[in-house]
Amino acid sequence: MKKNYGIQSVPRMSEEVTRQLIQYIAAEKLKPGSKLPTERQLSERLEVSRSSVREGIRALEILQYLESRQGEGTFVSKPPPYLIPLSIIRKEENLVELHKYYQVSLLHARQILSLGISNQISIDQLQVDQADFWSSFSSLVDFVGKQLLNNYYLEIWQLTNQLLESFDFYLHVTNRFEIDKILEAYNSLNYTALTDYIQQIEEAKIV
Amino acid sequence: MKKNYGIQSVPRMSEEVTRQLIQYIAAEKLKPGSKLPTERQLSERLEVSRSSVREGIRALEILQYLESRQGEGTFVSKPPPYLIPLSIIRKEENLVELHKYYQVSLLHARQILSLGISNQISIDQLQVDQADFWSSFSSLVDFVGKQLLNNYYLEIWQLTNQLLESFDFYLHVTNRFEIDKILEAYNSLNYTALTDYIQQIEEAKIV
DNA sequence: GTCGATTTGTTCGTATGTATC
DNA sequence: TGATACATACGAACAAATCGA
C-alpha cells in the first residue's frame, strides 16, 4: 500500500533531472554561457532516458535559465531565476537568500494594502486570528489583493509568501508584531502609519 | 551567412505546443481544475509526437500553470502566470494586460531607486541619453539595481521592462517626462520628489 | 567548400504504473 | 477483480544544425 504521501506520490524523472541540473550548475559554479554535458551523457550519468532529460531541460529553458541550440549543445543562459518553484528547490535553508524573498514579499504586501486603502476596499468581512500575526497578515493581503484590478501584485506576493512559509522563514522573525495596528491603520485610511509599520516589519531581526 | 541573432531560428515543436496550449486554454476559457485533452489527442491534433507534447507540458508545469497526474490526465492548475517569457506569449498587444506589467515595473523601479538613494549609490559614472526618456530611465534603474544586495528587485524589473519594450508599450505612453528631474531628485537625495515623479509616470495616459 | 563527427530536434513503438469505475 | 483510460518512461532511429579538419 503505497499512497500519496504529501505533495507528490512518485517523483517524476524529469523533475529529478531538473533538480540535478540546478544542483550540478551550482556545484560546478557554471557561469552563463557555460556548456552542459550532452543529453546523452546526462542520460547515462543520471540513469534516465534521453526523453526524460529533455523534459527536464525544457522546464529550465522556459525559465530562461538554460538554452539549448541544435547542433551545439545546452548552455547556461542566466543566473538562476528567482522564480524557481518550491518543488524544485528543496535545498537547505538559506537565510540570506530567503531574506531577499522576504523583502520582495513585503514590497508587494505594502503595495497591495496601499492600493486597498486608496480604492476603498473594505475589510469588514475579514476574519483574522489575533494570535498568529503572520497568518492573519497573509489573510489580509490575500483578501485585499484579490479585489485589485492588477492581479500581478498578488501573484508575486503569493509566490514569495508561499516560499517563505514552506521554509518556515517566519519562525526566524523574532520581533512580535500586532495585526491590530495594521488593521487600525488600514481602516482609518492612515497610509503613513501603515507603511511605517510595514517598514518596521521589514527591518525585523532574523535569527 | 545566416546567424542566430536574437530569438531563435527555427521554432521548436515543444515550444509551439506550449504556445498552443496557452492559446487553447484562453480560447476555451478553461478554469483551474479543468482537464486538458490527453497527450495522445494533443499529439494528433497538433500533429506532433507525444514526446514533443510532453516537453511542452513540462515547461508549463514548472510555471505551475499546468499539473499532470499519472492515470488521470493534465489539468489547468492556476491562472496564466504573469511570468510567461516573451518567446511564448507573442499574442496580440493587449494594452490592459500590459498596463499591469507597467505598474509592476514601476513599482520595482521606484524601490530600486529608493534603495539606491538610501544606500548612497552614486550615479556619477552613468551616461544617459537626454533625448530618450525611457532608454535613459532604463539605464538608470539597471545601473542602480545591479549594485543592490537584493537582486530580485532588478530581476523582476528587467523581466517586466523587457516585455514592455518588446511590445513597444512605451510608445503608447503619451506624456513626456524628463530624465533630468529624476536624476536631480536622485542626486539631491530627495526621496519624496523622486517618488512623486514616478507616481506621475505611473499615472501617465496610455493610448 | 566538402565531409564527417557531434549534438540537439523529432518521431515512433512498446512497456509499465496509476487512477477510476 | 477486471477493464479501461491515461500519464510515465525507455530506447532506437533518423533529421537537421553546427563545427572543425
Side-chain angles (χ1 to χ4, degrees):
Chain A
M1 158 157 157
K2 28 188 174 179
K3 267 288 178 188
N4 289 353
Y5 0 176
I7 322 290
Q8 209 163 13
S9 44
V10 180
R12 238 196 307 262
M13 298 312 291
S14 66
E15 228 176 78
E16 193 54 39
V17 171
T18 312
R19 246 187 298 273
Q20 299 274 15
L21 285 176
I22 293 173
Q23 211 175 310
Y24 174 81
I25 293 168
E28 301 285 326
K29 294 189 173 62
L30 296 188
K31 308 272 178 210
S34 306
K35 189 172 180 304
L36 264 62
T38 70
E39 293 180 352
R40 283 197 170 77
Q41 288 173 332
L42 288 171
S43 165
E44 290 176 12
R45 293 195 206 175
L46 304 177
E47 296 182 301
V48 295
S49 70
R50 191 156 86 97
S51 318
S52 298
V53 170
R54 286 181 59 81
E55 287 180 27
I57 291 176
R58 220 48 69 224
L60 287 178
E61 204 168 14
I62 205 177
L63 291 176
Q64 310 189 16
Y65 188 21
L66 295 183
E67 181 187 353
S68 46
R69 295 191 287 268
Q70 188 172 173
E72 293 186 69
T74 303
F75 305 84
V76 180
S77 68
K78 277 214 228 172
Y82 80 99
L83 189 151
I84 292 189
L86 316 180
S87 51
I88 304 299
I89 306 184
R90 287 279 165 246
K91 52 182 176 184
E92 81 293 351
E93 282 188 36
N94 181 340
L95 276 181
V96 177
E97 205 64 14
L98 285 177
H99 190 256
K100 296 180 183 175
Y101 281 83
Y102 182 66
Q103 294 176 319
V104 172
S105 186
L106 285 174
L107 173 66
H108 291 86
R110 192 183 69 195
Q111 178 75 354
I112 287 169
L113 297 183
S114 300
L115 290 174
I117 288 181
S118 56
N119 290 336
Q120 301 178 352
I121 294 174
S122 162
I123 55 170
D124 294 340
Q125 300 177 4
L126 181 67
Q127 304 277 358
V128 296
D129 172 16
Q130 307 282 346
D132 183 352
F133 173 78
W134 289 109
S135 97
S136 43
F137 184 67
S138 293
S139 310
L140 173 63
V141 175
D142 203 74
F143 181 83
V144 177
K146 282 187 173 130
Q147 298 177 65
L148 295 179
L149 288 177
N150 191 333
N151 40 341
Y152 296 148
Y153 297 128
L154 181 65
E155 194 177 328
I156 302 178
W157 175 79
Q158 283 175 335
L159 204 81
T160 48
N161 182 56
Q162 195 185 354
L163 187 134
L164 292 168
E165 276 183 353
S166 80
F167 280 103
D168 291 325
F169 179 83
Y170 294 123
L171 295 181
H172 294 81
V173 182
T174 50
N175 307 41
R176 292 283 154 230
F177 300 105
E178 298 167 32
I179 192 66
D180 282 340
K181 296 219 173 167
I182 292 184
L183 294 176
E184 189 187 322
Y186 187 94
N187 283 321
S188 56
L189 312 182
N190 190 339
Y191 175 82
T192 31
L194 181 76
T195 52
D196 284 350
Y197 201 66
I198 294 185
Q199 181 69 25
Q200 285 181 41
I201 298 177
E202 190 175 331
E203 291 164 355
K205 289 267 183 296
I206 312 293
V207 292
Chain B
M1 160 150 167
K2 35 185 175 179
K3 267 288 178 187
N4 277 357
Y5 289 120
I7 327 287
Q8 206 165 14
S9 43
V10 181
R12 236 195 310 258
M13 296 314 288
S14 66
E15 232 176 72
E16 193 54 39
V17 172
T18 46
R19 246 187 298 273
Q20 298 274 15
L21 285 176
I22 293 172
Q23 209 175 311
Y24 174 81
I25 293 168
E28 301 285 327
K29 293 190 173 60
L30 297 188
K31 307 278 180 202
S34 307
K35 189 172 180 307
L36 264 63
T38 70
E39 293 183 351
R40 282 201 169 76
Q41 288 172 333
L42 289 171
S43 166
E44 288 175 12
R45 291 195 207 175
L46 304 176
E47 296 181 303
V48 295
S49 70
R50 274 198 57 213
S51 315
S52 298
V53 170
R54 286 179 59 80
E55 287 180 25
I57 291 177
R58 219 50 72 225
L60 287 178
E61 206 167 13
I62 204 176
L63 291 176
Q64 310 189 18
Y65 188 20
L66 295 183
E67 181 186 352
S68 49
R69 295 190 288 269
Q70 187 172 169
E72 294 184 69
T74 303
F75 305 84
V76 179
S77 68
K78 276 214 226 173
Y82 79 101
L83 189 152
I84 294 188
L86 317 179
S87 51
I88 305 299
I89 306 185
R90 288 279 164 242
K91 51 182 176 185
E92 81 293 351
E93 280 189 37
N94 181 340
L95 277 182
V96 177
E97 204 65 14
L98 286 177
H99 190 257
K100 296 180 183 175
Y101 282 83
Y102 182 66
Q103 294 175 319
V104 172
S105 186
L106 286 174
L107 173 66
H108 290 88
R110 192 182 68 194
Q111 178 76 354
I112 287 170
L113 296 183
S114 300
L115 290 174
I117 289 181
S118 55
N119 289 336
Q120 301 179 350
I121 294 175
S122 162
I123 56 170
D124 294 341
Q125 300 177 4
L126 181 68
Q127 305 278 358
V128 296
D129 172 17
Q130 306 283 346
D132 183 351
F133 173 78
W134 289 110
S135 98
S136 43
F137 184 67
S138 294
S139 310
L140 173 63
V141 175
D142 202 74
F143 180 83
V144 176
K146 281 186 174 134
Q147 298 177 64
L148 295 179
L149 287 177
N150 192 333
N151 41 341
Y152 296 149
Y153 297 130
L154 182 65
E155 194 176 329
I156 302 178
W157 176 79
Q158 283 176 335
L159 205 81
T160 47
N161 183 56
Q162 195 185 355
L163 187 133
L164 292 168
E165 276 183 351
S166 80
F167 280 103
D168 291 326
F169 179 84
Y170 294 123
L171 295 181
H172 294 81
V173 183
T174 50
N175 307 42
R176 292 284 155 228
F177 299 105
E178 299 167 32
I179 192 67
D180 281 339
K181 297 218 174 168
I182 291 184
L183 295 177
E184 189 186 321
Y186 188 94
N187 282 323
S188 56
L189 311 181
N190 190 338
Y191 175 82
T192 32
L194 182 76
T195 51
D196 283 352
Y197 201 66
I198 294 184
Q199 181 68 25
Q200 285 181 41
I201 298 177
E202 189 174 331
E203 290 165 355
K205 288 268 183 297
I206 312 293
V207 291

